[in-house]
CSV table of all heavy atoms in Angstrom, one decimal:
chain,number,residue,atom,x,y,z
A,698,GLU,N,-1.5,-6.7,-13.6
A,698,GLU,CA,-2.5,-5.6,-13.4
A,698,GLU,C,-2.1,-4.6,-12.4
A,698,GLU,O,-2.4,-3.4,-12.6
A,698,GLU,CB,-3.9,-6.2,-13.0
A,698,GLU,CG,-4.5,-7.1,-14.0
A,698,GLU,CD,-5.8,-7.7,-13.5
A,698,GLU,OE1,-6.1,-7.7,-12.3
A,698,GLU,OE2,-6.5,-8.3,-14.3
A,699,MET,N,-1.3,-5.0,-11.4
A,699,MET,CA,-0.9,-4.1,-10.3
A,699,MET,C,0.1,-3.1,-10.8
A,699,MET,O,0.0,-1.9,-10.4
A,699,MET,CB,-0.4,-5.0,-9.2
A,699,MET,CG,-0.4,-4.3,-7.8
A,699,MET,SD,-2.1,-4.0,-7.2
A,699,MET,CE,-2.0,-2.2,-7.1
A,700,GLN,N,1.1,-3.5,-11.6
A,700,GLN,CA,2.1,-2.6,-12.0
A,700,GLN,C,1.6,-1.3,-12.7
A,700,GLN,O,1.9,-0.2,-12.2
A,700,GLN,CB,3.2,-3.3,-12.9
A,700,GLN,CG,4.3,-2.4,-13.2
A,700,GLN,CD,5.3,-3.0,-14.1
A,700,GLN,OE1,5.2,-4.2,-14.5
A,700,GLN,NE2,6.4,-2.3,-14.4
A,701,PRO,N,0.8,-1.4,-13.7
A,701,PRO,CA,0.3,-0.2,-14.3
A,701,PRO,C,-0.6,0.6,-13.4
A,701,PRO,O,-0.7,1.8,-13.5
A,701,PRO,CB,-0.5,-0.7,-15.6
A,701,PRO,CG,-0.6,-2.1,-15.5
A,701,PRO,CD,0.4,-2.6,-14.5
A,702,GLU,N,-1.4,-0.1,-12.5
A,702,GLU,CA,-2.2,0.6,-11.6
A,702,GLU,C,-1.4,1.5,-10.6
A,702,GLU,O,-1.7,2.6,-10.4
A,702,GLU,CB,-3.1,-0.4,-10.8
A,702,GLU,CG,-4.2,0.3,-10.1
A,702,GLU,CD,-5.4,-0.7,-9.9
A,702,GLU,OE1,-5.5,-1.8,-10.5
A,702,GLU,OE2,-6.3,-0.3,-9.1
A,703,LEU,N,-0.3,0.9,-10.2
A,703,LEU,CA,0.6,1.7,-9.3
A,703,LEU,C,1.3,2.8,-10.0
A,703,LEU,O,1.5,3.9,-9.5
A,703,LEU,CB,1.7,0.7,-8.7
A,703,LEU,CG,1.2,-0.2,-7.6
A,703,LEU,CD1,2.2,-1.3,-7.3
A,703,LEU,CD2,0.7,0.5,-6.4
A,704,GLU,N,1.7,2.6,-11.3
A,704,GLU,CA,2.3,3.6,-12.1
A,704,GLU,C,1.3,4.8,-12.3
A,704,GLU,O,1.6,5.9,-12.3
A,704,GLU,CB,2.8,3.1,-13.4
A,704,GLU,CG,4.0,2.2,-13.2
A,704,GLU,CD,4.5,1.5,-14.5
A,704,GLU,OE1,3.8,1.5,-15.5
A,704,GLU,OE2,5.7,1.0,-14.4
A,705,ASN,N,0.0,4.4,-12.5
A,705,ASN,CA,-1.1,5.5,-12.6
A,705,ASN,C,-1.2,6.3,-11.4
A,705,ASN,O,-1.7,7.4,-11.4
A,705,ASN,CB,-2.4,4.9,-13.0
A,705,ASN,CG,-2.4,4.4,-14.4
A,705,ASN,OD1,-1.6,4.8,-15.3
A,705,ASN,ND2,-3.3,3.5,-14.7
A,706,LEU,N,-0.8,5.7,-10.2
A,706,LEU,CA,-0.9,6.4,-8.9
A,706,LEU,C,0.4,7.2,-8.7
A,706,LEU,O,0.5,7.9,-7.6
A,706,LEU,CB,-1.1,5.4,-7.8
A,706,LEU,CG,-2.5,4.7,-7.8
A,706,LEU,CD1,-2.5,3.6,-6.8
A,706,LEU,CD2,-3.5,5.8,-7.4
A,707,GLY,N,1.3,7.2,-9.7
A,707,GLY,CA,2.5,8.0,-9.5
A,707,GLY,C,3.8,7.3,-9.1
A,707,GLY,O,4.8,7.9,-8.8
A,708,TYR,N,3.7,6.0,-8.8
A,708,TYR,CA,4.9,5.2,-8.4
A,708,TYR,C,5.6,4.7,-9.6
A,708,TYR,O,5.1,4.3,-10.6
A,708,TYR,CB,4.5,4.0,-7.6
A,708,TYR,CG,3.7,4.4,-6.3
A,708,TYR,CD1,2.3,4.2,-6.2
A,708,TYR,CD2,4.4,4.9,-5.2
A,708,TYR,CE1,1.7,4.5,-5.0
A,708,TYR,CE2,3.7,5.2,-4.0
A,708,TYR,CZ,2.4,5.0,-4.0
A,708,TYR,OH,1.7,5.4,-2.8
A,709,ARG,N,7.0,4.7,-9.5
A,709,ARG,CA,7.8,4.1,-10.5
A,709,ARG,C,8.3,2.8,-10.0
A,709,ARG,O,9.1,2.7,-9.1
A,709,ARG,CB,9.1,5.0,-10.8
A,709,ARG,CG,8.8,6.3,-11.4
A,709,ARG,CD,10.0,7.0,-11.6
A,709,ARG,NE,9.8,8.2,-12.5
A,709,ARG,CZ,10.8,9.0,-12.9
A,709,ARG,NH1,12.0,8.8,-12.4
A,709,ARG,NH2,10.5,10.0,-13.6
A,710,VAL,N,7.7,1.7,-10.5
A,710,VAL,CA,8.0,0.4,-10.0
A,710,VAL,C,8.2,-0.6,-11.2
A,710,VAL,O,7.5,-0.5,-12.2
A,710,VAL,CB,6.8,-0.2,-9.1
A,710,VAL,CG1,6.7,0.6,-7.8
A,710,VAL,CG2,5.5,-0.1,-9.8
A,711,ALA,N,9.1,-1.5,-11.0
A,711,ALA,CA,9.3,-2.6,-11.9
A,711,ALA,C,8.5,-3.8,-11.5
A,711,ALA,O,8.0,-3.9,-10.4
A,711,ALA,CB,10.8,-2.9,-11.9
A,712,GLU,N,8.3,-4.6,-12.5
A,712,GLU,CA,7.5,-5.9,-12.2
A,712,GLU,C,8.1,-6.6,-11.0
A,712,GLU,O,7.4,-7.1,-10.1
A,712,GLU,CB,7.5,-6.7,-13.4
A,712,GLU,CG,6.6,-8.0,-13.3
A,712,GLU,CD,6.6,-8.8,-14.6
A,712,GLU,OE1,6.3,-8.2,-15.6
A,712,GLU,OE2,6.8,-10.0,-14.5
A,713,ARG,N,9.4,-6.7,-10.9
A,713,ARG,CA,10.1,-7.4,-9.8
A,713,ARG,C,9.7,-6.8,-8.5
A,713,ARG,O,9.5,-7.5,-7.5
A,713,ARG,CB,11.6,-7.3,-10.0
A,713,ARG,CG,12.5,-7.8,-8.9
A,713,ARG,CD,14.0,-7.6,-9.2
A,713,ARG,NE,14.3,-6.2,-9.5
A,713,ARG,CZ,14.4,-5.2,-8.6
A,713,ARG,NH1,14.3,-5.5,-7.3
A,713,ARG,NH2,14.7,-4.0,-8.9
A,714,GLU,N,9.6,-5.4,-8.4
A,714,GLU,CA,9.3,-4.8,-7.1
A,714,GLU,C,7.8,-5.1,-6.7
A,714,GLU,O,7.5,-5.2,-5.6
A,714,GLU,CB,9.5,-3.3,-7.3
A,714,GLU,CG,11.0,-2.9,-7.4
A,714,GLU,CD,11.1,-1.4,-7.9
A,714,GLU,OE1,10.5,-1.0,-8.9
A,714,GLU,OE2,11.9,-0.7,-7.2
A,715,VAL,N,7.0,-5.1,-7.7
A,715,VAL,CA,5.6,-5.4,-7.5
A,715,VAL,C,5.5,-6.8,-6.9
A,715,VAL,O,4.8,-7.1,-5.9
A,715,VAL,CB,4.7,-5.2,-8.7
A,715,VAL,CG1,3.3,-5.7,-8.5
A,715,VAL,CG2,4.7,-3.8,-9.2
A,716,LYS,N,6.2,-7.7,-7.5
A,716,LYS,CA,6.1,-9.1,-7.1
A,716,LYS,C,6.7,-9.3,-5.7
A,716,LYS,O,6.1,-10.0,-4.9
A,716,LYS,CB,6.9,-10.0,-8.1
A,716,LYS,CG,6.8,-11.5,-7.8
A,716,LYS,CD,7.2,-12.3,-9.0
A,716,LYS,CE,7.1,-13.8,-8.8
A,716,LYS,NZ,5.8,-14.3,-8.3
A,717,GLN,N,7.8,-8.6,-5.4
A,717,GLN,CA,8.4,-8.6,-4.1
A,717,GLN,C,7.4,-8.1,-3.0
A,717,GLN,O,7.3,-8.7,-1.9
A,717,GLN,CB,9.7,-7.8,-4.0
A,717,GLN,CG,10.8,-8.5,-4.7
A,717,GLN,CD,12.1,-7.6,-4.8
A,717,GLN,OE1,12.0,-6.3,-4.6
A,717,GLN,NE2,13.2,-8.2,-5.0
A,718,GLU,N,6.7,-7.1,-3.3
A,718,GLU,CA,5.8,-6.5,-2.3
A,718,GLU,C,4.6,-7.5,-2.1
A,718,GLU,O,4.1,-7.7,-1.0
A,718,GLU,CB,5.3,-5.1,-2.7
A,718,GLU,CG,4.5,-4.4,-1.6
A,718,GLU,CD,5.2,-4.2,-0.3
A,718,GLU,OE1,6.4,-4.2,-0.3
A,718,GLU,OE2,4.4,-4.1,0.7
A,719,LEU,N,4.1,-8.1,-3.2
A,719,LEU,CA,3.0,-9.0,-3.1
A,719,LEU,C,3.5,-10.2,-2.2
A,719,LEU,O,2.7,-10.7,-1.4
A,719,LEU,CB,2.5,-9.5,-4.5
A,719,LEU,CG,1.7,-8.5,-5.2
A,719,LEU,CD1,1.6,-8.9,-6.7
A,719,LEU,CD2,0.4,-8.2,-4.6
A,720,GLU,N,4.7,-10.7,-2.5
A,720,GLU,CA,5.2,-11.8,-1.7
A,720,GLU,C,5.4,-11.4,-0.2
A,720,GLU,O,5.2,-12.2,0.7
A,720,GLU,CB,6.5,-12.3,-2.3
A,720,GLU,CG,6.3,-13.0,-3.6
A,720,GLU,CD,7.6,-13.3,-4.4
A,720,GLU,OE1,8.7,-13.0,-3.9
A,720,GLU,OE2,7.5,-14.0,-5.4
A,721,ARG,N,5.9,-10.2,0.0
A,721,ARG,CA,6.0,-9.7,1.4
A,721,ARG,C,4.7,-9.7,2.2
A,721,ARG,O,4.6,-10.2,3.3
A,721,ARG,CB,6.7,-8.3,1.5
A,721,ARG,CG,7.0,-7.9,2.9
A,721,ARG,CD,7.5,-6.4,2.9
A,721,ARG,NE,6.4,-5.5,2.6
A,721,ARG,CZ,5.5,-5.1,3.5
A,721,ARG,NH1,5.5,-5.6,4.7
A,721,ARG,NH2,4.6,-4.3,3.2
A,722,LEU,N,3.7,-9.2,1.5
A,722,LEU,CA,2.3,-9.2,2.1
A,722,LEU,C,1.8,-10.6,2.3
A,722,LEU,O,1.1,-10.8,3.3
A,722,LEU,CB,1.4,-8.3,1.2
A,722,LEU,CG,1.7,-6.8,1.1
A,722,LEU,CD1,0.8,-6.2,0.1
A,722,LEU,CD2,1.5,-6.2,2.5
A,723,THR,N,2.2,-11.5,1.4
A,723,THR,CA,1.8,-12.9,1.6
A,723,THR,C,2.5,-13.5,2.8
A,723,THR,O,1.9,-14.2,3.6
A,723,THR,CB,2.1,-13.7,0.3
A,723,THR,OG1,1.3,-13.1,-0.8
A,723,THR,CG2,1.6,-15.1,0.4
Side-chain angles (χ1 to χ4, degrees):
E698 291 176 351
M699 201 66 241
Q700 184 181 4
E702 195 153 349
L703 289 169
E704 288 175 349
N705 287 338
L706 292 168
Y708 298 105
R709 290 181 171 181
V710 291
E712 184 176 310
R713 173 185 52 82
E714 295 168 306
V715 174
K716 186 161 180 58
Q717 285 175 342
E718 187 60 22
L719 287 168
E720 289 173 356
R721 187 187 70 78
L722 293 170
T723 301

